[in-house]
Structure formats: C-alpha cells, structure tokens
Amino acid sequence: MFNRLDTIEKKYNEIKEELIKPETLNDFNKLRELSKEESDLKEIVEVYQKYKKVKDNLDQAKLMENDPELKEVALNEANNLSKELDDLYQQLEILLVPKDENDGKNVIMEIRGAAGGDEANIFAGDLFRMYSYYAEANNWKIEVIHEVEGTSGGYSQIEFMIKGNNVYSKLKYESGSHRVQRVPVTETQGRVHTSTATVLVMPEVETANIEVKESDIKMDVYHSSGAGGQSVNTSNSAVRLTHIPTGIVVTCQVERSQLKNRERAMNLLKIKINEEARRKEELELGAERKSKIGSGDRSEKIRTYNYPQNRVTDHRINFSIMSLDRVMDGELEPIIEALQTEDLRLKLAGEKFE
C-alpha cells in the first residue's frame, strides 16, 4: 500500500509542477485535465503526508520513553499518536478503494409497474414521488422525459433525468425489483396484496461517441398526451424511436418541437444501448468487480415496502427500518448509507459478485 502511496504522491507533485508551466496555462484542455487529476489525488496525498508526520512523531515519542524523567509523558503521547495513526491508516485504505467513474454523473431513471396490475402502477407512482422528494432534499433537479399514466393512477411507465452533484453515487443501488405489501385502494375485503415495480438507473454518458446507424432506427410520431390520455398537442410532436437490432424503444414528448423530442429521444436511446452493451460485457467477462449488494438486474427483488408493519427491508444487506412512512416521503438516506457502507466493506475485503 505504501509503495502505491509513494507513487501517487510523486505523481501529484509532478502535476503541480506541470500546472504552473506557461504552456499548460495556455492550453485550456490540458489545464482542465491536469486540474481534475490534481483534485482527485489531493485528499489522498494530504492524508498520507499527515500519516507520515504522525508516524515520525510516534517514533520520537517512543525514543523518549527511554528517558526516566520523560517516560510517563512519552507513553501518554505515544498512546494518543498510535490511535491517530490507526485512524489515518483506515482513511488511507478507504481513499485507495477504486472509485466508480460514474459516481459524479447525473442519472436516467425508469420506473415501470410490473406484477399487480393497477396497484403496481400506483406503486410505481409512489416510488417516483419518493425519489422526487429525495432529489429535492439533495437539491437535485428532476426532468420527466416520458410518462404513461396508469388507468387508476400512478404510472405504467415513467422515465426521468435527475441532475445534481454525485447523483449516481447514491442512486446506483436502486436498480431492481421493488415489492410492496399493502391493502390496495381497490380491495373491498381488506386483504393485503403483493405487487411489484421495476427500477432501472443509468448514468448519463457522453453520447457523441456512441454510434448508432440511422438505418437501424424506426421512428414513429404521434400527438403528445396528458392526464387521462387526452391530447395536449394537436401536432405530431411526440417521438418514438425503436432500435431494430436490440429492440430497445424510447419515447419523448416533453418538447413542443418534434425535432427537439427526436434529439432527446436519440440521446436516451444511445444511453440505453450503451447500458445494455455494458451489462452484456459484464456478464460475458465475469471478471469485472461487482458489488454483492446487487447486480442491478431488474429481475432481482431488492427491497420490500411493508405497509401494515410500516417496515422497509433491503434484502441485499438484510437491513430493515421501521419508518416506511418517512421513507416514502423521501427520507432514503439511512438505507442509502447502509448500502454504501456494505459496498465499501466488500471492496476493502476484495470480494466480488460472480
């Protein structure tokens, strides 16, 4: 570990020297790239330098223990410095864990009502509301791309983007099948039903380099629709794109212009094609690190929302919280933090999900 830290410190110092050179200051792209590298390494280097300083002080304190007059003070000092050194060592371990390159990105989320008919769609709407409140608490912005409302409320499908700081780092754990247990509003005999909704979370990626042949795309246009399916636009501005080789379908109707809707739909299509290719690559190689807290497959049941007991259980980490009402109002942080903690523990242990 320390050989790696020495290499990082050397690289950091080289970058700092490079940043003050006139040729670097005159090259905006190079300056931006080096500044990001410096920023990424800064915390690790600062903690490592502090570690080395505390270790030197500890070595001196241990030498002072041989002096009878200073022995008691030296033992006290050595004890405090040893604890500080252990804390710094743990910090360094955590800082050296490989970071997910997508953590700082915005996300595209897709929620679909699954098993349970109208109740599943209503639950999909409840999940959208939950994520909306959570986004608001984090000062993130939500932008709906496409929605299909359920006949009794909620959504049979809704796609939206969440923009803000480090959105993916927190919401990447949400992909999978979410299960609800409650008495539906349509139930006349008070029986508890189980329904599901699926969630897919994709990091926003740069689509300029993702090639999609126009000949592989089928485009349909139609009237945009609002609540209850009523037309809100008399022109055919809504756009549906189908990628023929993969069967991936995306729809966009948020803009009044067909051209703008197509542009948005095309970006979303590229993101979905990229996500599908990434998923297939992981399955084929089987060597890339995956967290045991979930592969992100929507067929995997990840969480249960039990209304009669006011309980939410995340099955991946066997974590339950008896405050479902607050969770549905956007207080997701205790669950997210538990997932992040387990993810970090597994990475530090070098464990993989096969």
Side-chain angles (χ1 to χ4, degrees):
M1 184 174 96
F2 292 106
N3 286 338
R4 187 177 169 196
L5 286 165
D6 286 335
T7 302
I8 289 171
E9 185 178 30
K10 182 182 176 183
K11 168 111 176 166
Y12 178 75
N13 291 330
E14 288 172 353
I15 291 171
K16 285 184 74 70
E17 288 178 12
E18 192 70 28
L19 279 168
I20 60 174
K21 292 181 179 178
E23 56 266 37
T24 302
L25 294 170
N26 291 326
D27 186 335
F28 176 76
N29 289 331
K30 187 176 182 181
L31 181 65
R32 182 177 61 182
E33 185 181 325
L34 288 173
S35 295
K36 186 180 183 307
E37 280 190 74
E38 182 200 27
S39 176
D40 290 342
L41 299 177
K42 185 176 181 181
E43 187 178 4
I44 297 175
V45 172
E46 286 179 348
V47 175
Y48 181 43
Q49 289 174 343
K50 188 175 181 181
Y51 177 91
K52 289 191 290 184
K53 186 177 179 181
V54 171
K55 189 176 184 307
D56 287 343
N57 291 339
L58 178 60
D59 291 341
Q60 290 175 26
K62 285 181 176 179
L63 287 173
M64 289 166 60
E65 290 175 14
N66 297 321
D67 189 326
E69 294 181 7
L70 298 174
K71 185 175 182 180
E72 187 177 341
V73 174
L75 283 169
N76 236 2
E77 180 72 5
N79 186 47
N80 292 332
L81 288 169
S82 291
K83 290 178 181 176
E84 187 178 0
L85 200 67
D86 287 342
D87 289 341
L88 289 168
Y89 185 89
Q90 289 176 21
Q91 283 185 51
L92 288 169
E93 277 191 315
I94 292 169
L95 288 169
L96 286 173
V97 170
K99 289 182 174 60
D100 187 332
E101 62 180 14
N102 292 318
D103 275 353
K105 294 180 178 179
N106 300 326
V107 303
I108 304 285
M109 288 189 77
E110 173 191 282
I111 304 174
R112 292 175 179 262
D118 288 341
E119 169 63 5
N121 293 341
I122 292 169
F123 179 50
D126 292 338
L127 289 177
F128 174 65
R129 175 177 170 273
M130 178 184 76
Y131 291 125
S132 297
Y133 283 149
Y134 184 61
E136 185 180 346
N138 283 279
N139 295 313
W140 298 338
K141 291 185 178 179
I142 283 190
E143 187 178 291
V144 175
I145 299 168
H146 174 61
E147 60 186 43
V148 180
E149 295 186 359
T151 54
S152 298
Y155 302 95
S156 63
Q157 177 186 354
I158 183 166
E159 290 174 297
F160 53 98
M161 175 177 280
I162 303 183
K163 297 179 178 180
N165 293 326
N166 300 313
V167 182
Y168 187 74
S169 69
K170 294 196 172 187
L171 292 181
K172 63 184 176 182
Y173 306 105
E174 296 304 297
S175 287
S177 180
H178 295 240
R179 181 175 69 174
V180 63
Q181 294 174 326
R182 64 184 177 189
V183 179
V185 292
T186 54
E187 170 60 49
T188 57
Q189 297 181 29
R191 292 174 299 186
V192 173
H193 288 228
T194 298
S195 304
T196 59
T198 59
V199 175
L200 176 64
V201 181
M202 298 170 286
E204 183 184 25
V205 295
E206 178 55 58
T207 60
N209 298 324
I210 301 173
E211 292 186 15
V212 178
K213 295 178 182 177
E214 286 291 335
S215 58
D216 287 341
I217 297 173
K218 177 190 174 189
M219 183 173 92
D220 299 301
V221 295
Y222 55 96
H223 291 342
S224 298
S225 60
Q230 71 182 69
S231 175
V232 295
N233 195 330
T234 55
S235 63
N236 289 330
S237 60
V239 172
R240 181 189 300 111
L241 299 181
T242 303
H243 186 240
I244 298 167
T246 61
I248 294 172
V249 179
V250 299
T251 306
C252 186
Q253 60 179 38
V254 294
E255 302 284 357
R256 291 186 175 273
S257 158
Q258 182 188 121
L259 188 63
K260 288 183 178 178
N261 277 328
R262 190 189 190 284
E263 185 180 338
R264 277 171 163 266
M266 193 66 184
N267 279 334
L268 179 57
L269 181 65
K270 287 181 176 181
I271 289 171
K272 287 196 171 186
I273 290 171
N274 182 74
E275 181 70 11
E276 181 67 12
R278 184 194 63 78
R279 188 186 67 82
K280 283 184 177 178
E281 184 180 7
E282 284 184 352
L283 288 173
E284 287 170 5
L285 294 176
E288 185 172 334
R289 180 187 296 274
K290 296 178 184 178
S291 167
K292 279 189 177 178
I293 59 174
S295 63
D297 190 332
R298 282 186 289 172
S299 65
E300 176 188 12
K301 179 187 71 178
I302 65 167
R303 195 175 296 152
T304 295
Y305 304 74
N306 186 299
Y307 275 71
Q309 297 177 21
N310 198 37
R311 184 185 71 235
V312 181
T313 299
D314 197 291
H315 304 287
R316 297 163 293 181
I317 56 174
N318 196 26
F319 175 85
S320 291
I321 186 168
M322 307 301 289
S323 56
L324 180 145
D325 52 341
R326 294 202 296 272
V327 169
M328 298 311 291
D329 283 337
E331 292 186 25
L332 265 172
E333 202 60 40
I335 299 173
I336 300 294
E337 284 182 357
L339 289 163
Q340 288 178 320
T341 299
E342 179 64 5
D343 192 10
L344 179 60
R345 186 192 71 78
L346 291 168
K347 285 175 179 174
L348 286 171
E351 295 187 34
K352 298 180 181 180
F353 179 86
E354 300 296 346

